[in-house]
Amino acid sequence: MNFQLTDEQQLIRKNMREFADQYVEPIAAELDENSRFPAELFRKLGEGGWMGMPIPVEYGGAGTDYLTHILAVEELSRSCSSTGFTVASHVIVALLVLLYGTEEQKRKYLVPLAEGKHMSAFSLTEPGAGTDVMAVTSTAMLDGDDYVLNGTKTFITNGPVAETHFVVCWTDRAAGRKGMSIFIIPRGNPGIRPGKHFEKMGVRSSQTSEVVLKDCRVPRENMIGQAGQALPMSMAIFEQGRIGIAAQSVGILQAALDESIRYAKERVQFGAPIARHQAIAWMISNMTTDLSAARWLTYHAAFLRDQKQPFGKEASMAKLFASEAAMRHTVKAVQIQGGYGYCKGAKVERLMRDAKITEIYEGTSEAMRMVISGNLLR
Ligand SMILES: Cc1cc2nc3c(=O)[nH]c(=O)nc-3n(C[C@H](O)[C@H](O)[C@H](O)COP(=O)(O)OP(=O)(O)OC[C@H]3O[C@@H](n4cnc5c(N)ncnc54)[C@H](O)[C@@H]3O)c2cc1C
């Protein structure tokens, strides 16, 4: 058993730390304040190879394993979890094309995604279909050599900024779980547009909107993978995505710990730094212990994925534990900073707001418990 990251993984992690310190940390508070999508930052991340790390070099990626990509997401999220999340969610869509796309689709769509020249959006959720994906109502009807898509998707990450959309629709309702398919829709198609834009509590620079399909016509060859396979393909992608959200949570937790230690040593009350008060010291002990557990659960899930072993349960366990730990301890991090932690401008206040969403997207904590128990009890 070896708990040591390779020299290459350590180097890439250090490179991302330096990148985040230089380009992300200085603008993170402003991105949050203005809900601003930093297009220029994603261009720079693309140039550095960070937007397609686990994608093979021949398709525009960096050709690393998934664990190395996860280390980068963690370091980015330590500075700005919106940015870490945007990279993580973009990469799983690129992986969808890598795993299920035709050679032509890979050349046409995957390469610009992996190079960070195009942003992606994956649309499954609808107003009436969240955890219950079978409640989707969007349809794709065959008309000659085209499919015509109609419906409204909601809460779509990158909805307003994506150049390449991936959308789940019914192609055969009668086929039940084998009745939905995924379609690629490039921006510029007159049948797709972003709808309502959501102002959020956290991860505010990540852009979230409805995606509206109105008689959206796409050629047959824009279906990705086989007809009727949307659910297994989506689940395969979400399993990888859950490791990304776990890494985002670990980054948030590490930042909360850094901030808590710094503040507890600086702030003096009753003639001593508050770090000397046992109540504060124990909060920090609990925080670092849960951080370590969350980090190893996350790395283990990524390791299993890289070893081509089953990792669905482990990915859900990592996401469940890391996201709930991030939420629990960012609340404590605010507590440690008292009134100062509660005010705008304190990093811990942003961390607390950002932590909440990790318990919700790519499967809620309740859904994670269903997956984990389902693995044990079936
Ligand atoms: C910022 C953000 C970004 C997102 N990005 C995307 C995206 O890019 N693409 C996309 O397709 N979707 C995206 N989503 C949607 C996200 O995946 C859903 O919000 C999530 O799956 C939960 O669905 P819901 O919000 O409809 O909640 P619901 O499914 O309505 O759940 C409400 C509550 O009920 C609980 N619940 C539901 N069913 C059960 C059950 N059977 N047993 C126990 N409890 C249950 C849930 O856990 C939750 O607590 C995003 C959401 C947000 C907020």
Side-chain angles (χ1 to χ4, degrees):
M1 196 175 227
N2 183 1
F3 284 98
Q4 191 71 24
L5 296 174
T6 64
D7 289 348
E8 188 188 61
Q9 285 165 339
Q10 291 182 48
L11 179 66
I12 290 178
R13 169 181 219 142
K14 182 169 158 285
N15 289 346
M16 175 47 92
R17 184 70 260 134
E18 287 168 6
F19 181 97
D21 283 343
Q22 189 175 355
Y23 297 112
V24 186
E25 191 77 43
I27 61 170
E30 179 265 315
L31 297 181
D32 172 67
E33 177 74 23
N34 299 317
S35 298
R36 183 171 73 82
F37 181 79
E40 73 291 347
L41 177 61
F42 290 107
R43 252 195 311 281
K44 213 185 280 283
L45 282 161
E47 284 160 15
W50 302 106
M51 298 301 283
M53 288 184 72
I55 305 297
V57 175
E58 60 176 309
Y59 295 119
T64 71
D65 57 16
Y66 200 64
L67 175 54
T68 308
H69 158 66
I70 284 303
L71 297 171
V73 171
E74 177 191 329
E75 286 301 332
L76 258 181
S77 302
R78 189 171 165 186
S79 289
C80 173
S81 79
S82 286
T83 306
F85 165 61
T86 302
V87 171
S89 57
H90 174 78
V91 163
I92 58 165
V93 185
L95 284 169
L96 174 77
V97 190
L98 178 70
L99 290 175
Y100 303 107
T102 61
E103 189 55 31
E104 197 189 337
Q105 287 170 341
K106 288 179 195 169
R107 297 275 159 221
K108 191 167 172 187
Y109 300 108
L110 175 57
V111 171
L113 293 180
E115 290 176 344
K117 291 180 177 153
H118 287 177
M119 294 302 293
S120 62
F122 183 80
S123 296
L124 172 60
T125 305
E126 295 184 3
T131 306
D132 179 9
V133 293
M134 292 302 286
V136 159
T137 59
S138 296
T139 54
M141 308 297 285
L142 199 53
D143 179 27
D145 275 342
D146 293 341
Y147 277 94
V148 180
L149 280 54
N150 279 289
T152 299
K153 299 290 181 179
T154 198
F155 292 143
I156 305 308
T157 299
N158 290 341
V161 295
E163 279 85 5
T164 316
H165 289 265
F166 296 77
V167 177
V168 178
C169 292
W170 286 106
T171 41
D172 180 5
R173 265 180 190 279
R177 293 191 71 79
K178 293 185 176 167
M180 287 187 230
S181 307
I182 305 180
F183 295 89
I184 307 175
I185 313 173
R187 186 158 75 187
N189 183 314
I192 189 167
R193 65 172 175 85
K196 177 184 166 188
H197 185 272
F198 294 95
E199 272 290 326
K200 307 187 297 297
M201 173 197 299
V203 288
R204 287 169 52 77
S205 78
S206 159
Q207 302 296 300
T208 317
S209 75
E210 289 180 341
V211 167
V212 180
L213 304 161
K214 179 88 178 61
D215 297 328
C216 178
R217 189 169 277 275
V218 292
R220 251 177 209 270
E221 61 263 24
N222 280 30
M223 181 187 285
I224 185 162
Q226 289 176 8
Q229 291 301 303
L231 291 185
M233 289 193 287
S234 303
M235 291 312 141
I237 292 309
F238 288 152
E239 282 185 356
Q240 300 177 76
R242 284 166 190 163
I243 309 175
I245 304 304
Q248 180 194 353
S249 310
V250 170
I252 292 172
L253 202 39
Q254 179 67 60
L257 179 67
D258 297 343
E259 279 295 293
S260 298
I261 292 173
R262 179 192 63 73
Y263 191 86
K265 286 180 170 175
E266 279 173 20
R267 175 70 172 168
V268 173
Q269 287 292 279
F270 295 94
I274 59 169
R276 299 261 189 89
H277 302 310
Q278 196 177 51
I280 301 293
W282 284 16
M283 282 189 220
I284 290 174
S285 299
N286 293 342
M287 204 180 286
T288 195
T289 304
D290 278 355
L291 168 59
S292 196
R295 180 172 278 140
W296 286 116
L297 280 170
T298 305
Y299 294 0
H300 182 233
F303 168 82
L304 289 177
R305 186 265 183 208
D306 286 333
Q307 299 299 312
K308 301 189 178 6
Q309 294 183 41
F311 63 94
K313 172 166 69 71
E314 287 73 13
S316 292
M317 284 163 41
K319 180 185 183 286
L320 174 64
F321 184 83
S323 62
E324 292 194 345
M327 192 67 250
R328 215 165 37 244
H329 292 296
T330 51
V331 172
K332 295 291 184 194
V334 170
Q335 190 69 16
I336 289 170
Q337 300 198 7
Y340 298 98
Y342 189 68
C343 292
K344 280 227 173 286
K347 185 170 177 182
V348 289
E349 173 267 342
R350 168 162 54 91
L351 294 172
M352 189 179 91
R353 287 186 285 104
D354 282 358
K356 184 59 205 168
I357 190 59
T358 63
E359 297 181 314
I360 296 172
Y361 53 27
E362 296 200 19
T364 62
S365 290
E366 293 71 29
M368 294 306 96
R369 289 187 167 88
M370 286 191 260
V371 172
I372 297 162
S373 58
N375 264 269
L376 298 175
L377 303 174
R378 67 181 163 214

